[in-house]
């Protein structure tokens, strides 16, 4: 498959989708492939390009015998001829070379492959240390490593303030994977650890990478060292079409105006080059498209693949919709949502009929006799100032002997979502709310999200609570689970709580705080926040002493213009003590519930595991750190966390190096997964690597995650509130798999939304300047982390005004020497050495292509660059060291 007009598009698209997609008979007439030149026919039959898939029986037998291997296909967004599946043994990925070997599978599909004979395996040149052989990762950062949780953005105030700060919500447990954030706005898609990659061919900025003709050699590979071969394979079957088979892109006329095809089909060219070009019937196209094709040159369309025959390079599809002009926020957003299979339609009347109809709704009297009444307790929420869907509330009161009674109170969503109802089915299918920069696509109807379930202040609410007696050192003396009724006395923002923590003795004036119910005082709330903060510090310290890991990464928040919705500016989201306070108690509740439900239902508990990092990538990173003289210990999550805390100082250069290394450490990390305890026999695999605990689950965000609703039902059955679940482990595992797929898709959509807004910001407000740190050096380019914005970009030497440049290795470290053209005749040329961890100055500027921007290096000694830390308001990157 060739793409003469190859563009590196803004979005790395096409990732897993839970539901299988359209396939099979196209329903729009015969395939265009059947009408091509007769020169390809052999005895009346057209020559096949792709192999016929194996039968289900052969696949099943091959997987049992170990002659076939299954895995999720990843296609490199920058070099679409390269694809990979993970090796089952955690070693180097298995390589799939080219479209033919991929056999019509798309990115994210669960495929079955057959290994090629050893003489056809990829040869990796020993001197290249080619980390791109592991490539094609987008940003599979497990959200929970971060503490940040999927950047949640709520829109309260969107219509009543001139400029809206869209901020990150650190709700609860997603810190579990150790990742501070998945929100890297990685516009180029691929995140690679480039130690010293000798580039394959010459990579021109924005041009296709020519395939290395020497990759496959006909020499006797047995003479090569084992490490220089990468197992290579071909796809023989698609187990599950997880890619949505939808793509956004542009319509073009076919090149040959005299062909029969020209009269029946147009060519759809996807923005994502990992998706094939698609023939679409002209009857699907706008009426005047054939006569006025240029009118549609910048119109974004959605197309769905309905068939892809063995004898055609191109797929067959149906045009689903015209979105609008490329580069505009809403058309681009709708395209992203569609490609990732996000259901953003309005809830049906059948679903809405499941909600309480008599409004305003009040708690039925019988619930008071079934539940513990906590309405007189000092309970409050801490959330982003714009949040509307308040899942969780906290309480803390001193008890005898200097101890504390601490409560985590979670919205009882399962009360409003009857099992088996239409509402239950649609929530299960959506599986998660999807948070975009400018809006949210909710899992549940607004009446539930923002009113009935949301723990709004000064109203009675149904909750599910975990209450502990804790010593001042955070030791658990007792633990209680149960259904409750609360009445939150105030809605604090993270800023309110932070000001209480930072100024513990000051009486905060009422005008600086939200309203507090008359039964309680702001001083009482202030004392509770301080007590919770003290306990959270102890719990956190103990967690890291017990071997937990956290990888904080830069994440962006945007200021939006009230009138246009366009980004006016962006800033680094600051993760502070108030965020950490909430996080600690959410983690504590999730761990407690995991123990409880697994104890009662050892075969039917919905838990969340985090597998250890990929061995090969971790070993490569360890080797890299060794080469760079960094004393890093990768033996365990705790050892890695300790190394990151202790290796770096707190000067600007050290903090930037830590940011880069944290980014590199995130790559070997695997994603955390929901699973059914009865579907996994080895309990050692239940472990959560980043949290370093034997069992974990999600309980604290049922308004936005369906997994939490399932866990609420299990906990209710554990406590005798309802019948034990009538579900087999296999069925629960299927639900877990679907939640995993939708969570991953949601994460991708969120990243792409941030990428979209950042690209628009560069276009509208650019060029933008920042310091950057070099992450990898290649022979004709180098990769940087742009420190002010957290984006990664590749800078190409041939895009700079250089007299010359030279690549060499100094010891084992790759290095580029750049010789700049003098600015005037009187000056001599300026020489600049670029190596890993060099601090450089870069400019991000928009390109003519819609929503694409590039990074160029600023000439050494040029004035006018701000310090990247000044822009962040002095953000403390070493924020684990409380």
């Amino acid at each position: 498959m060739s793409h003469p007009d190859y563009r590196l598009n803004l979005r790395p698209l096409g990732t897993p989708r839970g539901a299988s997609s359209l396939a099979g008979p196209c329903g729009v007439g015969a395939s265009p492939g059947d009408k091509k030149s007769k020169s390809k026919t052999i005895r009346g039959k057209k020559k096949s390009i792709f192999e016929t898939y194996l039968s289900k029986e052969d696949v099943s037998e091959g997987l049992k015998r170990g002659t076939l291997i299954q895995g999720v296909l990843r296609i490199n967004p920058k070099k679409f001829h390269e694809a990979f599946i993970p090796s089952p043994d955690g070693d180097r990925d298995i390589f799939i070379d080219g479209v033919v070997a991929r056999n019509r599978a798309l990115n994210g599909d669960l495929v079955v492959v057959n290994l090629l004979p050893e003489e056809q395996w990829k040869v990796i040149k020993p001197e290249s240390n080619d980390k791109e052989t592991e490539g094609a990762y987008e940003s599979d950062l497990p959200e929970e490593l971060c503490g940040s949780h999927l950047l949640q953005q709520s829109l309260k105030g969107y219509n009543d303030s001139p400029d809206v700060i869209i901020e990150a919500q650190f709700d609860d447990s997603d810190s579990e994977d150790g990742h501070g954030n998945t929100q890297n706005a990685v516009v180029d898609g691929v995140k690679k650890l480039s130690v010293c990659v000798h580039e394959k061919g010459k990579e021109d900025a924005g041009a296709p990478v020519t395939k290395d003709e020497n990759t496959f050699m006909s020499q006797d590979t047995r003479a090569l060292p084992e490490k220089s071969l990468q197992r290579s394979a071909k796809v023989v079957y698609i187990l599950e079409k997880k890619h949505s088979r939808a793509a956004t892109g542009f319509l073009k006329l076919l090149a040959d105006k005299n062909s029969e095809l020209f009269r029946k089909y147009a060519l759809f060219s996807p923005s994502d080059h990992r998706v094939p070009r698609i023939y679409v019937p002209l009857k699907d196209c706008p009426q005047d498209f054939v006569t006025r094709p240029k009118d549609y040159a910048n119109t974004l369309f959605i197309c769905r693949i309905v068939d892809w025959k063995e004898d055609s390079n191109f797929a067959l599809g149906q045009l689903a919709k015209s979105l609008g002009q490329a580069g505009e926020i809403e058309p681009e957003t709708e395209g992203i949502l569609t490609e990732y299979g996000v259901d953003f339609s309005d809830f049906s009347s059948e679903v809405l009929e499941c909600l309480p109809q008599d409004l305003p709704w009040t708690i039925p009297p019988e619930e008071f006799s079934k539940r513990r009444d906590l309405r007189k307790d000092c309970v409050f929420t801490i959330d982003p100032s714009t949040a509307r869907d308040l899942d969780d509330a906290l309480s803390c009161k001193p008890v005898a002997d200097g101890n504390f009674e601490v409560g985590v109170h979670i919205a009882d969503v399962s009360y409003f979502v009857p099992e088996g109802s239409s509402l239950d089915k649609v929530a299960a299918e959506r599986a998660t709310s999807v948070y975009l920069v400018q809006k949210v696509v909710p899992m549940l109807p607004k009446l539930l999200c923002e009113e009935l379930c949301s723990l709004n202040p000064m109203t009675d609410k149904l909750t599910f609570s975990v209450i502990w007696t804790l010593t001042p050192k955070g030791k658990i003396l007792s633990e209680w689970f149960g259904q409750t009724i609360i009445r939150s006395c105030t809605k604090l923002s993270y800023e309110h709580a932070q000001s209480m923590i930072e100024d513990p003795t000051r009486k905060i004036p009422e005008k600086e705080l939200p309203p507090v119910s008359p039964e309680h005082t702001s001083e009482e709330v202030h004392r509770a926040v301080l007590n919770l903060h003290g306990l959270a510090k102890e719990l956190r310290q103990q967690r890291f002493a017990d071997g937990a890991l956290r990888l904080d990464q830069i994440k962006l928040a945007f200021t939006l213009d009230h009138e246009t919705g366009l980004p006016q500016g962006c800033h680094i989201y600051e993760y502070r003590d108030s965020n950490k306070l909430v996080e600690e108690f959410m983690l504590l509740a999730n761990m407690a519930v995991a123990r409880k439900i697994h104890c009662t239902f050892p075969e039917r508990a919905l838990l969340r595991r985090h597998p250890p990092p990929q061995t090969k990538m971790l070993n490569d990173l360890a080797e890299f750190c060794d080469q760079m003289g960094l004393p890093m210990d990768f033996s365990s999550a705790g050892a890695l966390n300790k190394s990151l805390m202790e290796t770096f100082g707190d000067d600007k250069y050290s903090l930037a190096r830590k940011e880069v290394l944290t980014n590199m450490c995130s790559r070997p990390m695997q994603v955390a997964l929901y699973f059914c305890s009865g579907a996994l026999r080895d309990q050692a695999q239940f472990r959560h690597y980043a949290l370093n605990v034997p069992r974990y689950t999600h309980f604290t965000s049922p308004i936005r995650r369906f997994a939490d609703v399932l866990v609420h039902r299990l906990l209710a059955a554990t406590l005798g509130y309802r019948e034990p679940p009538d579900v087999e482990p296999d069925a629960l595992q299927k639900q877990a798999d679907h939640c995993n797929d939708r969570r991953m898709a949601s994460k991708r959509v969120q990243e792409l939304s941030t990428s979209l807004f950042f690209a628009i910001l560069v276009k509208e407000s650019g060029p933008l300047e920042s310091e950057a740190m070099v992450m990898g050096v290649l022979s004709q380019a180098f990769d940087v982390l742009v420190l002010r914005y957290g984006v990664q970009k590749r800078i190409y030497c041939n895009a700079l005004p250089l007299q010359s440049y030279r690549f060499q290795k100094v010891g084992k470290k790759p290095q580029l020497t750049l010789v700049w053209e003098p600015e005037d005749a009187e000056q001599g040329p300026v020489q600049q050495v670029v190596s890993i961890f060099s601090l450089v100055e870069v400019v991000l500027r928009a390109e003519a292509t819609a929503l694409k921007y590039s990074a160029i290096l600023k000439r050494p000694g040029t004035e006018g660059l701000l310090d990247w830390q000044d822009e962040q308001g002095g953000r403390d990157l070493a924020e684990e060291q409380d």
Side-chain angles (χ1 to χ4, degrees):
M1 180 172 75
S2 64
H3 284 314
D5 65 340
Y6 188 101
R7 288 170 293 130
L8 292 183
N9 194 266
L10 170 72
R11 328 191 265 284
L13 294 168
T15 48
R17 179 177 184 222
S20 289
S21 57
L22 285 167
C26 59
V28 287
S31 162
D34 298 333
K35 299 184 177 67
K36 283 193 178 172
S37 160
K38 299 291 181 206
S39 63
K40 286 191 179 177
T41 59
I42 302 169
R43 294 186 184 168
K45 283 192 177 177
K46 186 150 179 278
K47 186 177 176 185
S48 283
I49 294 163
F50 301 106
E51 285 189 17
T52 305
Y53 296 130
L54 295 183
S55 68
K56 280 186 182 176
E57 294 72 27
D58 288 348
V59 167
S60 183
E61 185 62 28
L63 289 172
K64 274 182 197 162
R65 289 187 5 235
T67 55
L68 299 177
I69 298 168
Q70 74 176 55
V72 174
L73 185 75
R74 301 192 320 277
I75 304 172
N76 189 331
K78 281 188 169 178
K79 300 181 183 179
F80 63 83
H81 64 269
E82 294 183 348
F84 306 83
I85 68 163
S87 175
D89 57 11
D91 198 11
R92 177 177 280 146
D93 288 335
I94 295 166
F95 182 63
I96 298 159
D97 180 51
V99 176
V100 173
R102 211 153 66 220
N103 202 358
R104 296 163 287 165
L106 299 184
N107 192 61
D109 284 354
L110 182 61
V111 298
V112 176
V113 303
N114 193 3
L115 286 179
L116 297 172
E118 196 170 316
E119 60 269 17
Q120 293 178 40
W121 290 2
K122 182 176 181 181
V123 177
I124 299 160
K125 298 166 193 169
E127 75 278 6
S128 79
N129 197 8
D130 187 354
K131 299 303 169 207
E132 297 202 18
T133 58
E134 310 301 330
Y137 277 95
E138 291 175 295
S139 51
D140 274 335
L141 310 184
E143 312 91 23
E144 298 104 339
L145 252 176
C146 15
S148 72
H149 330 314
L150 288 174
L151 217 122
Q152 288 229 11
Q153 290 137 353
S154 305
L155 301 174
K156 186 164 182 184
Y158 186 68
N159 295 318
D160 51 19
S161 62
D163 301 317
V164 188
I165 301 289
I166 303 295
E167 59 184 312
Q169 174 170 333
F170 291 76
D171 66 305
D172 61 317
S173 53
D174 297 355
S175 59
E176 36 152 328
D177 284 357
H179 275 64
N181 183 38
T182 59
Q183 201 63 28
N184 288 340
V186 183
V187 176
D188 275 342
V190 190
K191 298 177 153 194
K192 298 187 199 76
L193 166 55
S194 301
V195 178
C196 56
V197 180
H198 283 250
E199 294 175 280
K200 301 177 179 178
K202 184 170 182 178
E203 290 192 50
D204 292 323
V209 179
T210 54
K211 198 167 145 191
D212 184 357
E213 299 302 327
N214 301 317
T215 300
F216 292 92
M217 300 173 157
S218 55
Q219 69 189 73
D220 184 355
T221 55
R222 287 170 297 183
L224 291 162
E226 191 186 338
K227 258 189 153 180
S228 63
L229 284 179
Q230 181 170 20
R231 287 188 297 170
S232 302
K234 62 181 181 182
V235 173
V236 294
Y237 193 75
I238 303 175
L239 273 177
E240 194 176 349
K241 290 180 176 175
K242 292 200 172 187
H243 187 286
S244 67
R245 272 29 187 199
T248 56
F250 300 90
L251 272 184
K252 298 177 180 182
L253 289 173
L254 295 180
D256 184 0
K257 293 186 178 181
N258 299 317
S259 70
E260 190 184 340
L261 276 176
F262 185 86
R263 290 192 292 277
K264 291 188 176 178
Y265 294 96
L267 190 64
F268 178 81
S269 184
S271 302
D272 179 5
H273 292 278
R274 295 171 296 181
V275 178
R277 290 190 168 192
I278 303 165
Y279 287 121
V280 294
L282 283 174
K283 65 182 178 65
D284 287 357
C285 302
Q287 284 188 337
D288 59 348
F289 171 67
V290 174
T291 54
R292 302 180 63 88
K294 286 185 180 173
D295 290 1
Y296 297 92
N298 197 42
T299 302
L300 209 53
F301 290 91
I302 292 175
C303 181
R304 292 187 185 277
I305 293 174
V306 293
D307 198 11
W308 192 358
K309 294 191 178 299
E310 291 169 19
D311 59 8
S312 178
N313 276 314
F314 298 160
L316 188 67
Q318 287 179 311
L319 214 55
K321 190 175 183 185
S322 166
L323 292 172
Q325 292 301 293
E328 292 180 1
I329 288 172
E330 288 313 314
E332 294 281 353
T333 297
E334 188 174 335
I336 292 168
L337 291 169
T338 304
E339 288 186 10
Y340 284 84
V342 175
D343 179 0
F344 55 94
S345 62
D346 292 337
F347 290 97
S348 69
S349 54
E350 192 184 2
V351 167
L352 297 176
E353 279 165 15
C354 299
L355 304 175
Q357 301 298 307
D358 295 329
L359 299 175
W361 180 83
T362 53
I363 296 173
E366 63 268 20
E367 287 301 316
F368 289 92
S369 58
K370 296 177 188 172
R371 296 169 180 262
R372 187 163 161 183
D373 190 344
L374 304 176
R375 288 177 298 165
K376 290 183 179 172
D377 287 15
C378 178
V379 177
F380 49 88
T381 57
I382 306 175
D383 287 281
S385 55
T386 53
R388 286 175 169 177
D389 48 354
L390 314 182
D391 284 288
D392 54 274
L394 293 163
S395 61
C396 180
K397 60 183 180 188
V399 291
D401 305 324
N403 298 321
F404 297 94
E405 183 182 280
V406 174
V408 167
H409 314 281
I410 306 300
D412 189 356
V413 175
S414 62
Y415 175 88
F416 295 97
V417 184
E419 201 166 352
S421 65
S422 299
L423 175 60
D424 183 44
K425 284 170 187 166
V426 79
E429 184 55 39
R430 292 190 179 203
T432 179
S433 294
V434 179
Y435 292 87
L436 306 164
V437 169
Q438 79 280 30
K439 61 185 175 186
V440 59
V441 180
M443 180 180 82
L444 296 166
K446 190 173 176 180
L447 178 66
L448 290 187
C449 287
E450 297 181 12
E451 295 181 47
L452 301 187
C453 294
S454 185
L455 305 181
N456 301 325
M458 293 173 248
T459 52
D460 295 354
K461 296 291 177 181
L462 299 177
T463 44
F464 222 138
S465 301
V466 187
I467 298 173
W468 302 272
T469 303
L470 296 174
T471 69
K473 287 289 183 187
K475 186 183 175 193
I476 297 172
L477 300 179
S478 69
E479 189 170 65
W480 180 87
F481 302 86
Q483 292 182 343
T484 50
I485 298 174
I486 66 161
R487 186 180 178 86
S488 169
C489 66
T490 189
K491 179 195 172 188
L492 297 179
S493 67
Y494 282 119
E495 290 74 23
H496 294 136
Q498 189 63 31
S499 64
M500 292 175 172
I501 290 166
E502 288 175 359
D503 211 340
T505 55
R506 181 170 82 104
K507 184 182 187 308
I508 299 174
E510 280 188 14
K511 64 173 191 255
E512 292 178 29
L513 291 173
V516 177
S517 67
E519 296 83 5
H520 302 280
T521 63
S522 59
E523 289 82 6
E524 189 182 357
V525 174
H526 194 161
R527 278 195 306 275
V529 167
L530 291 175
N531 287 333
L532 286 168
H533 170 60
L535 289 165
K537 282 207 299 185
E538 294 290 343
L539 289 167
R540 189 178 184 83
Q541 193 177 344
Q542 191 57 52
R543 255 194 334 109
F544 288 109
D546 289 344
L549 166 67
R550 182 188 169 93
L551 298 176
D552 274 315
Q553 293 190 300
I554 294 170
K555 48 202 165 286
L556 284 178
F558 293 89
T559 310
L560 304 183
D561 182 275
H562 171 58
E563 296 293 328
T564 64
L566 291 171
Q568 289 179 321
C570 67
H571 59 278
I572 299 296
Y573 188 83
E574 215 175 335
Y575 183 70
R576 299 189 290 181
D577 284 341
S578 54
N579 302 96
K580 294 174 187 177
L581 180 162
V582 175
E583 179 191 1
E584 281 312 310
F585 289 105
M586 299 306 126
L587 287 171
L588 198 67
N590 285 328
M591 290 187 275
V593 171
R595 288 191 301 270
K596 188 77 174 171
I597 61 173
H598 184 239
C599 218
T600 311
F601 300 117
E603 297 288 308
R604 288 178 288 174
L606 183 72
L607 301 176
R608 188 160 174 82
R609 64 192 180 93
H610 183 211
Q614 295 177 36
T615 316
K616 176 71 177 63
M617 291 178 80
L618 199 67
N619 291 342
D620 286 344
L621 183 56
E623 188 183 330
F624 163 79
C625 290
D626 193 46
Q627 287 175 11
M628 300 303 294
L630 294 169
M632 300 291 291
D633 182 353
F634 292 95
S635 60
S636 68
L640 173 54
N641 196 77
K642 194 169 180 227
S643 295
L644 283 168
M645 291 304 110
E646 294 177 358
T647 301
F648 301 96
D650 57 5
D651 59 287
K652 181 176 79 171
Y653 179 72
S654 296
L655 294 175
R657 278 209 312 174
K658 184 184 174 194
E659 201 80 60
V660 166
L661 196 62
T662 297
N663 200 290
M664 289 176 173
C665 288
S666 71
R667 293 176 197 165
M669 297 299 158
Q670 301 207 60
V671 73
L673 298 164
Y674 298 114
F675 70 102
C676 171
S677 55
L680 203 58
R681 289 288 150 220
D682 182 5
Q683 285 209 17
Q685 292 183 13
F686 287 20
R687 286 197 70 81
H688 198 292
Y689 171 80
L691 293 175
N692 197 29
V693 292
R695 284 167 298 195
Y696 189 69
T697 196
H698 274 170
F699 163 75
T700 50
S701 292
I703 292 177
R704 67 180 184 93
R705 287 190 306 231
F706 193 71
D708 302 52
V709 176
L710 294 172
V711 168
H712 275 229
R713 289 172 181 167
L714 282 165
L715 184 60
T718 296
L719 302 171
Y721 291 118
R722 57 183 290 153
E723 291 298 308
D726 180 24
V727 62
E728 291 303 313
D730 284 353
L732 188 55
Q733 183 58 46
K734 275 194 177 162
Q735 281 189 295
D737 290 340
H738 181 65
C739 288
N740 291 330
D741 289 339
R742 296 319 306 152
R743 189 171 174 84
M744 182 65 74
S746 164
K747 187 161 78 103
R748 291 275 183 264
V749 165
Q750 184 188 313
E751 290 167 351
L752 295 174
S753 179
T754 294
S755 296
L756 170 66
F757 274 78
F758 187 68
I760 289 170
L761 183 68
V762 175
K763 183 181 161 196
E764 297 290 325
S765 309
L768 305 178
E769 299 181 350
S770 172
E771 280 191 298
M773 183 163 266
V774 177
M775 302 180 70
V777 177
L778 298 87
S779 58
Q780 300 165 35
F782 53 95
D783 294 327
V784 296
L785 179 67
V786 183
L787 294 166
R788 188 176 296 155
Y789 305 112
V791 298
Q792 296 171 48
K793 294 298 286 182
R794 179 163 291 179
I795 296 176
Y796 295 89
C797 295
N798 63 7
L800 303 173
L802 302 177
Q803 276 188 354
S804 63
Y805 57 92
R806 186 176 78 256
F807 176 85
Q808 67 191 75
K809 277 205 229 172
V810 180
K812 289 185 176 179
K813 297 175 188 176
Q815 184 176 290
L816 272 170
T817 303
L818 313 179
V819 182
W820 291 79
E821 291 276 8
E823 285 192 279
D824 56 58
E826 293 176 17
Q827 286 184 325
V830 178
Q831 189 166 297
Q832 182 178 13
V833 175
V834 173
S835 57
I836 294 171
F837 294 137
S838 294
L839 264 179
V840 295
E841 298 178 338
V842 299
V843 179
L844 302 177
R845 63 182 184 193
E847 294 186 3
T849 311
L851 298 186
K852 186 168 184 290
Y853 66 93
S854 59
I856 57 167
L857 195 60
K858 214 168 179 191
R859 185 187 292 270
T862 313
E863 293 299 317
L865 197 72
L866 289 170
D867 185 311
W868 64 281
Q869 281 187 299
D870 294 343
E871 189 88 345
Q872 298 181 64
R875 172 179 177 245
D876 177 13
L877 297 181
E879 51 203 7
E880 291 305 339
Q881 296 169 322
D882 283 332

